[in-house]
Amino acid sequence: MPNAPLRILIVDDEPLARERLRTLLADLAPQLPNEVVGEAGNGLQALDCLRERTADVVLADIRMPGMDGIELASHLGRLVQPPALIFTTAYDNYAVQAFDLDAIDYLLKPVRAQRLLAALNKLPARRPEAALIDGLGRQLRGGGRRHLSCHERGRLLLVPVDEILYFRAELKYVTARTVDREYLLDESLTRLESEFAERFVRLHRAVLVARAALAGFEKAAGDDAEAYGWALLRGVPEKLPVSRRQWALARAAAGE
């Protein structure tokens, strides 16, 4: 529908900041018809909102508790209908140099009406590169993402990284295992190893394990072609293969 209003989701942990954006959008409505379809206090709440309704654009702060705006950006791109993203923040040292402003805009608080209008008129925008998102996220929070996402039966599921026992590469996908279940991720094992190097250690060309999940090791039988040894895990009965090359490194990571 060419005359349909622009659907906007506002994401900010400060109620006054959300209220200001609502007021600005109402003032801009004669020039750019828009509808605020929801508000959220962080990235987790934003993704919950987007499960119930669609948005054309998300206006998101960067520093927020629970899930910040940078991590939210990495999950938005996995939605069936990903909205464009515009950052609205008090900090001028994150996205200005990291993102091409023709692709995604970056508004400093206090946001001005005409600057917001100019940003909204750039839509639709391209998504930023995942590598830029991850790099900026590590600068912001001093580490990798707190959640990974996967599609299951048409839904976007979030998997807390601190609950993952191991990653295992299988064909085109990576399986993430928690105590309760497995999740199929559209991720690269190499990228996961780089992003979470402090939390996970490589056991095998196809396996990364959480250092905290390692319970011990045992040597494989001499005729076992699959592994040089096996890693024992806390919380699950499975054993993970350890290659000869990684044997000493894995045991050192477990403090043996």
Side-chain angles (χ1 to χ4, degrees):
M1 296 178 62
N3 297 319
L6 192 66
R7 297 165 297 182
I8 299 172
L9 174 65
I10 299 173
V11 189
D12 199 302
D13 61 322
E14 298 179 2
L16 290 178
R18 298 198 301 267
E19 181 180 348
R20 175 174 172 78
L21 286 174
R22 271 190 177 272
T23 300
L24 291 178
L25 290 167
D27 292 343
L28 293 175
Q31 301 171 72
L32 181 67
N34 66 80
E35 172 191 3
V36 176
V37 298
E39 294 184 13
N42 61 30
L44 289 169
Q45 294 175 14
L47 292 170
D48 283 340
C49 288
L50 292 171
R51 291 187 183 99
E52 304 296 328
R53 67 210 74 167
T54 58
D56 301 306
V57 59
V58 173
L59 303 179
D61 194 7
I62 287 185
R63 286 186 176 273
M64 295 180 290
M67 181 187 287
D68 58 56
I70 304 300
E71 186 168 353
L72 171 62
S74 71
H75 296 301
L76 290 179
R78 297 179 181 274
L79 295 174
V80 176
Q81 293 180 300
L85 176 64
I86 296 173
F87 287 121
T88 59
T89 179
Y91 299 91
D92 64 359
N93 58 332
Y94 290 118
V96 172
Q97 296 178 353
F99 297 116
D100 175 1
L101 296 184
D102 290 332
I104 192 170
D105 216 333
Y106 183 95
L107 309 182
L108 286 176
K109 296 177 180 177
V111 176
R112 306 299 182 187
Q114 291 306 307
R115 185 68 181 86
L116 177 58
L117 178 62
L120 293 172
N121 277 328
K122 291 182 178 181
L123 305 177
R126 293 181 291 110
R127 299 289 306 156
E129 292 294 326
L132 290 178
I133 292 175
D134 290 346
L136 185 54
R138 284 193 287 272
Q139 293 177 35
L140 174 62
R141 69 185 76 90
R145 291 167 285 176
R146 294 189 179 97
H147 300 79
L148 301 178
S149 53
C150 70
H151 281 284
E152 188 175 281
R153 299 188 183 95
R155 298 180 302 151
L156 184 74
L157 302 182
L158 294 180
V159 188
V161 173
D162 61 7
E163 294 182 10
I164 297 172
L165 302 177
Y166 65 81
F167 298 108
R168 190 164 192 162
E170 299 174 284
L171 300 176
K172 296 190 299 180
Y173 293 93
V174 168
T175 298
R177 178 72 156 95
T178 67
V179 170
D180 298 322
R181 54 164 293 184
E182 294 183 344
Y183 298 86
L184 281 181
L185 308 177
D186 186 12
E187 298 272 0
S188 157
L189 202 66
T190 300
R191 178 180 166 192
L192 291 169
E193 182 179 25
S194 173
E195 185 174 354
F196 302 109
E198 294 185 3
R199 183 180 291 270
F200 292 87
V201 62
R202 185 175 287 274
L203 297 182
H204 185 275
R205 59 182 173 77
V207 180
L208 301 176
V209 67
R211 297 170 189 266
L214 286 169
F217 296 86
E218 63 182 36
K219 274 288 190 68
D223 60 349
D224 194 329
E226 185 178 356
Y228 178 75
W230 298 93
L232 311 179
L233 304 179
R234 296 185 174 92
V236 292
E238 295 132 272
K239 300 177 183 180
L240 296 176
V242 185
S243 69
R244 180 185 296 272
R245 180 178 180 181
Q246 298 299 129
W247 180 254
L249 294 173
R251 295 188 66 183
E256 290 196 359

